[in-house]
Amino acid sequence: MAENNGSAASLADFIWKNAEDLWGDFKHTDFGKVILPFTLLRRLECVLEPTRNDVRDACLTHQDSGIDLDLILRQITRYPFYNTSEYSLSSLGGTKTRQNLQDYVAKFSDNARVIFEQFDFSNTVIRLDKAGLLFKICKNFAGIDLHPDVVPDRVMSNLYEHLIRRFGAEVNEGAEDFMTPRDVVHLATTLLLDPDDSLFEANPGLIRTLYDPTCGTGGFLSDAMDHVAEYGNRFEVPPVLIPYGQELEPETHAVCMTGMLLRALETDPGRDLSKNIKMGSTLSNDQFAGERFHYGIANPPFGKKWEKDQDAVNTEYREKGFNGRFGPGLPRINDGSMLFLLHLASKMDLPERGGGRAAIVLSGSPLFNGGAGSGESEIRRYLLEHDLVDAIVSLPTEIFFRTGIGTYLWILSNKKPKHRRDRVQLINATSLWTSIKNEGNKRRIISNDQMRQIADIYAAAEEGEISHMLDYRRFGYRRIKVLRPLRMSLHINGESLVKLKNEKTWVKLSAAQQTAWEAALVPHLGLVQPFAWAETFVANVAQSTKEVGKVSKTFTKALINAFGARDLGGDPVRDADGKLVADSDLTDYENVPLLESVKDYFAREVLPHLPDAYIDESFRDDSDGEVGRVGYEINFNRFFYKYVPPRKLHDIDAELKQVEAEIAELLGEVTE
């Protein structure tokens, strides 16, 4: 009989009791490696407890019969896993605890045993045994009831996250990177699934697939499955979500696998959902290559470099193009979040098969980083021009455990209803939060009422104070290259003549050639000549003075380099074909809104200020061939900015005088 129940308070006390027992023999950073796998072991044990004897009896009866024992034992447990050992945590004994525990773990079915292999549990057991703590820890865990009926999945997820947050350095150096707060998880699943209410209602028991490429401990998957299960209160047969996920870190992968092992589908209770939870890097080793899903959801790490995946990603980009995941472009190496954005978009089911939807949590940089023509801008361009971005929600700051930065929830869809097509809904939910006691950097939550408010605003798809429905082209622009003509005159004087003599072309001349050229230049000393003079002068001297020999064009350039000086009042310089020569120092760029004519914009915004400016017609977009390179950025401030008038000078002056008086009074007290 378990001594403790599964309340949040008792679980927290229980965790710290074990931490105190480990103190001194284990480093603080090692506590998680002990407590987390024992927690998983006890939860599995609690589930199997009612059928333990039946499983052992069946194993003894059929072990030599040639019958598929695996199938029989799963039917007995009503779960996709089992354990045939005679031991439990409460019966390991105090003399051969290590050997008995190792036997216990070894006799789990393969799909459960792999969980402990990913924690390197056998070495942890040896360390505990050597420290004389193994029996005590086993006894501790035998005394707490972690059965799902006592500790629901959501409470258990909080426990896992608490363990990882407190002792996460052992799990990985960015232990909380994979942890998405419960409120953010629930908001994402609500916005992802609510639009399909009518679909679920019209199709009782509808089966759909859900995919998380960065599944961590499985919070998104579990919450979404719970979300659709609640439809059972309205429909006779609720919809079913089949979870799929991939995780990089072995320990968090093990936690997610455990959660899926313990979940049973009402329509198929023996189905092993843990088989769908794969391990490896999603970017370089997609375990679901070629597969598509009805729903996708993810919270990829913010600002994480993708250099470890670089070779595989570049190869796929180069060899597969748009037939792969990364055809639109690649972001800079310092942040791979937009690769996950593309990856998730590529996993949505095809429109001809009903289409798909996805939700992904990102930092602010994917909205605007990279200029026109960059990989980041081309990714935004692809998603927007293919009408895959349904909505973007700006979330409150300080709602994540590890960072207080602003975050955004993107909703992707390739099956938009007619009234949402070619438009993107921006929702500014930054003010919708409730204060809580600090949990790391998390100081705020989105309450259930606030969550419902956001969901209602999303569903309404209307203009409002914190909602805008925008033509996707309003995020686009053409970056045009603005040129101005070179205006230059030639100043022939002693100083510029010295500059000419330092030019490489001059140095390569023979002494006789140098003397001849210098003699030809002497009559022009002190004069200012037009730009075209250089070419005429060189041609005349070459024709009349045999000593200079054959003259190359580089000599003319040397004269211009030495004598040339910009002359804003001079005539524009033209080349041999009569075309204007641009002044490279005056080159500039303008971003023209995509919905506006380039010529109209140029006439209104540029020519009144720079009458001699002209557009570089050769600077064109690689995709559509039009003048100016197309770029996209999504700037929330542009659409939600509210002007706040500055304070009156009189009020500021009065406040300054009051402060000055207070300072003077304080100084007077010091000097008395």
Side-chain angles (χ1 to χ4, degrees), residues 344-531:
L344 205 56
S346 75
K347 292 297 184 181
M348 291 191 294
D349 206 4
L350 295 171
E352 54 266 31
R353 297 194 309 197
R357 291 169 51 77
I360 182 170
V361 182
L362 298 169
S363 65
S365 59
L367 295 171
F368 52 77
N369 58 354
S374 67
E376 293 90 346
S377 180
E378 287 299 296
I379 291 171
R380 288 189 291 272
R381 179 179 187 176
Y382 173 82
L383 295 174
L384 290 166
E385 291 185 352
H386 285 77
D387 202 19
L388 297 179
V389 183
D390 188 24
I392 304 176
V393 183
S394 178
L395 301 175
T397 57
E398 299 179 326
I399 60 172
F400 277 81
F401 299 115
R402 282 177 60 84
T403 178
I405 64 171
T407 50
Y408 299 80
L409 177 59
W410 293 53
I411 306 297
L412 306 179
S413 175
N414 60 11
K415 58 173 186 176
K416 289 186 183 182
K418 187 176 181 180
H419 68 283
R420 300 186 77 104
R421 289 176 192 164
D422 294 321
R423 297 203 291 172
V424 177
Q425 184 178 13
L426 299 187
I427 301 174
N428 181 19
T430 53
S431 62
L432 300 178
W433 53 269
T434 302
S435 292
I436 60 168
K437 182 180 179 181
N438 289 11
E439 295 182 46
N441 284 311
K442 184 174 178 63
R443 298 175 173 86
R444 300 168 174 175
I445 62 166
I446 303 172
S447 69
N448 290 335
D449 289 343
Q450 291 162 339
M451 208 174 297
R452 190 70 260 161
Q453 183 180 350
I454 295 170
D456 290 344
I457 290 170
Y458 171 60
E462 297 173 348
E463 285 290 316
E465 184 178 356
I466 64 172
S467 171
H468 291 306
M469 296 295 297
L470 302 167
D471 184 319
Y472 78 88
R473 292 173 296 178
R474 291 188 65 179
F475 304 120
Y477 61 90
R478 284 192 182 274
R479 186 168 178 78
I480 61 172
K481 191 174 184 179
V482 179
L483 303 178
R484 294 180 64 191
L486 177 66
R487 299 174 187 273
M488 178 176 282
S489 56
L490 303 179
H491 297 249
I492 302 96
N493 51 48
E495 184 179 346
S496 59
L497 186 59
V498 172
K499 287 178 65 177
L500 175 63
K501 291 180 179 180
N502 289 325
E503 290 282 333
K504 288 183 179 180
T505 303
W506 179 276
V507 174
K508 290 180 180 180
L509 298 175
S510 66
Q513 289 174 319
Q514 291 177 353
T515 300
W517 279 113
E518 189 168 359
L521 286 167
V522 166
H524 299 279
L525 288 174
L527 300 179
V528 177
Q529 302 286 8
F531 182 87

Side-chain angles (χ1 to χ4, degrees), residues 237-313:
V237 184
V240 175
L241 282 183
I242 308 297
Y244 294 80
Q246 186 164 339
E247 171 56 29
L248 177 62
E249 298 293 337
E251 294 87 351
T252 42
H253 174 256
V255 172
C256 187
M257 280 190 66
T258 303
M260 293 303 115
L261 268 179
L262 295 172
R263 294 197 74 106
L265 300 178
E266 186 176 336
T267 55
D268 187 7
R271 184 166 185 167
D272 183 1
L273 298 179
S274 71
K275 285 186 176 181
N276 299 340
I277 309 302
K278 307 295 185 180
M279 192 170 75
S281 173
T282 295
L283 298 181
S284 58
N285 183 21
D286 181 11
Q287 295 286 306
F288 299 97
E291 296 189 47
R292 290 175 176 267
F293 306 92
H294 298 109
Y295 302 107
I297 195 163
N299 174 25
F302 299 158
K304 188 173 182 180
K305 293 182 178 180
W306 53 279
E307 56 191 353
K308 292 182 180 179
D309 301 302
Q310 186 174 12
D311 290 344
V313 170

